[in-house]
Amino acid sequence: MSGFRVRRPFATRWNDNDQYGHLNNTVYYEAMDTAVNAWMIDAAGLDPQGSSIALCAASSCEFLASASFPDELEVGIGVERLGTTSVTWSLGILRAGTDDPIATGTFVHVFVDAASRRPTPVPASVRSAIEEHLEG
């Protein structure tokens, strides 16, 4: 069982396949980044043009099985660590409706002031959405 409480669909596209006939590794990162940011916008009301923005400070991905277009995928979203100014997301790429990830990854988002790029606390709306939907 994957254990992801939140899952977001990620549609594959014809041009996502590389010359080896499977999704290029960059597509997995795109799926994870898109899912997390869309979730923060939808569930936490984060304004990407607001005064506090999330910048990716680190990312990783472990590939466990391949996928290719037209596979229907989902991104499982969890939180590994909720800090003062950062969130470490625990992510999984799954075939739609299944629980075994075909890839697992992490993203570390550091929240910064949009103008100065200096770290700021994780916005209260993001923190409360994480606590309500992803922790526990």
Side-chain angles (χ1 to χ4, degrees):
M1 185 81 161
S2 72
F4 292 107
R5 293 175 64 190
V6 171
R7 293 168 70 140
R8 296 194 63 102
F10 187 80
T12 59
R13 304 165 300 181
W14 174 257
N15 68 335
D16 291 337
N17 287 354
D18 62 18
Q19 68 185 14
Y20 304 111
H22 60 76
L23 297 182
N24 187 277
N25 61 343
T26 60
V27 175
Y28 292 83
Y29 283 99
E30 179 184 355
M32 292 185 288
D33 193 26
T34 298
V36 166
N37 281 288
W39 182 84
M40 285 194 292
I41 291 166
D42 293 344
L46 185 68
D47 178 0
Q49 304 302 317
S51 60
S52 182
I53 59 173
L55 298 181
C56 183
S59 63
S60 68
C61 188
E62 182 177 353
F63 305 97
L64 307 170
S66 65
S68 62
F69 174 83
D71 290 345
E72 295 179 21
L73 303 178
E74 296 176 336
V75 179
I77 302 173
V79 171
E80 187 174 305
R81 181 180 176 279
L82 176 57
T84 303
T85 61
S86 66
V87 178
T88 302
W89 303 96
S90 173
L91 303 159
I93 306 290
L94 309 106
R95 295 185 200 288
T98 68
D99 288 325
D100 295 324
I102 61 171
T104 58
T106 61
F107 263 65
V108 178
H109 274 142
V110 175
F111 286 84
V112 299
D113 178 84
S116 70
R117 296 297 203 251
R118 293 197 181 278
T120 63
V122 173
S125 63
V126 173
R127 182 174 294 282
S128 65
I130 288 171
E131 290 169 348
E132 180 181 347
H133 300 285
L134 299 176
E135 289 186 332

